[in-house]
Amino acid sequence: MTDAFDHDALRELVPLYAIGALTGPERAAVESHLAECAECAAELRAYAPVGMALAQAAPQIDPPASLRTAVLAATRGERAQARAPIRLAPWLAAAAMLVITAGLAVSVAVLQRRVQFLEGELRDALARVDDGERRVTVALRAAAAAEAPLAVLTAPDVRRIDLAGQPVAPAASARAFWSRSRGLVITASNLPALPAGRIYQLWFVTAQAPISAGLLTPDNRGGLTTTLSTPADIPNPVALAVTLEPEGGRPAPTGDKYLVGVAN
Ligand SMILES: [Zn+2]
C-alpha cells in the first residue's frame, strides 16, 4: 500500500535515486515504490540522461553525503533559500542543473503548483512586512513624541517663560520652555473650557508683530502639556501670549488674552 504522502515523499527521492545517491532503506523504499507507481517510474525514466551524464562525468566518485542535501536543495528551491550555501563541485552543479532541467520537462504541473504555493507565501510574507512596517512607524512616532519635549528641555539654548492668567482667566497659569533650535514645550492649568468653535492660540510677541507658535487644546480640566515645533528664524520674542481665537487659528491675534509671560 502506498498512500499519497509516501508517493510525494518518494517522488522527491527519485532524482537522488536516478543519480545513485540513495543507499539502504531509502533506496529499497524507492525501488519498491517504483515497481508499483507508474508516475514515479516515468519520472525516473526522465532522469535517465542525468544518471548517465553523472556516470560519465564522475564514474569513480561515490556520491558524497552533501549530494543528497545539494540535490534536494536544488529541487526544493523554496526551502533551499533558508539554508546555508552549499559548495557544489562543478560536475555536481551540472548534474543538479540536469536534474532540474529533466524535472522541468516532466513536472510542469508540479512546478505550477509550487509557484502558486510560493506566490501565496510571498503574499503572506509581504503582508507581514507591511504589518511590521506599520508597527515600526507607530513605535517611531511614539518615541519621537516622547523624545520631543525632552529634547527641548535639555536644549543648550532653552529659555523658561512663565505665563500668568489675565483678567478673563485669573486662575490660569502656564510655563513654557522654548529653544530656538528645538521648539517649545508648554504646560498650562486652569484654562477655561473652550467655547464651541474656538481654540487657544499661542503667540511669540516680538518687537515687530506677533508670530503664531501653535494651537492649544486643554483637557476637560483645563490643563495641557504640548510640544510645538516653532520657526527657528523668528526675531527674539519679548513675550509669550495665549489668546482665544476662531477654530483653526488666525495669522494675527484677534481675541482676548488669557495668558501672558514676559521673556527674560
Ligand atoms: Zn509514486
Side-chain angles (χ1 to χ4, degrees), residues 2 6-8 10-11 33 37-41:
T2 302
D6 281 342
H7 166 73
D8 284 341
L10 291 167
R11 191 173 54 191
H33 180 67
C37 177
E39 194 182 332
C40 288

Side-chain angles (χ1 to χ4, degrees), residues 20-188:
L22 287 186
T23 55
E26 279 183 332
R27 184 181 175 87
V30 170
E31 256 165 4
S32 66
H33 180 67
L34 283 167
E36 64 188 30
C37 177
E39 194 182 332
C40 288
E43 190 149 351
L44 176 64
R45 279 193 296 280
Y47 286 118
V50 179
M52 280 160 59
L54 194 55
Q56 282 160 13
Q60 261 80 45
I61 299 174
D62 277 339
S66 63
L67 177 62
R68 175 198 173 82
T69 321
V71 175
L72 279 180
T75 54
R76 301 173 181 162
E78 66 268 28
R79 276 171 249 173
Q81 285 168 10
R83 289 191 190 146
I86 298 151
R87 220 172 293 140
L88 289 174
W91 63 266
L92 187 52
M97 276 312 296
L98 280 168
V99 168
I100 293 166
T101 310
L104 277 175
V106 292
S107 39
V108 171
V110 170
L111 285 171
Q112 279 171 340
R113 277 200 298 279
R114 282 184 185 171
V115 167
Q116 279 165 8
F117 169 76
L118 286 172
E119 280 173 350
E121 292 280 286
L122 184 59
R123 263 195 304 277
D124 291 352
L126 287 175
R128 283 195 295 274
V129 167
D130 239 32
D131 191 43
E133 272 176 3
R134 256 197 307 277
R135 285 182 205 190
V136 168
T137 307
V138 168
L140 285 177
R141 217 178 285 142
E147 221 172 78
L150 196 62
V152 173
L153 294 176
T154 59
D157 62 343
V158 69
R159 291 164 67 180
R160 191 184 104 187
I161 302 162
D162 291 332
L163 294 86
Q166 300 301 294
V168 290
S173 68
R175 173 166 290 175
F177 294 89
W178 173 61
S179 154
R180 179 179 290 281
S181 57
R182 297 187 185 172
L184 185 144
V185 180
I186 183 167
T187 62

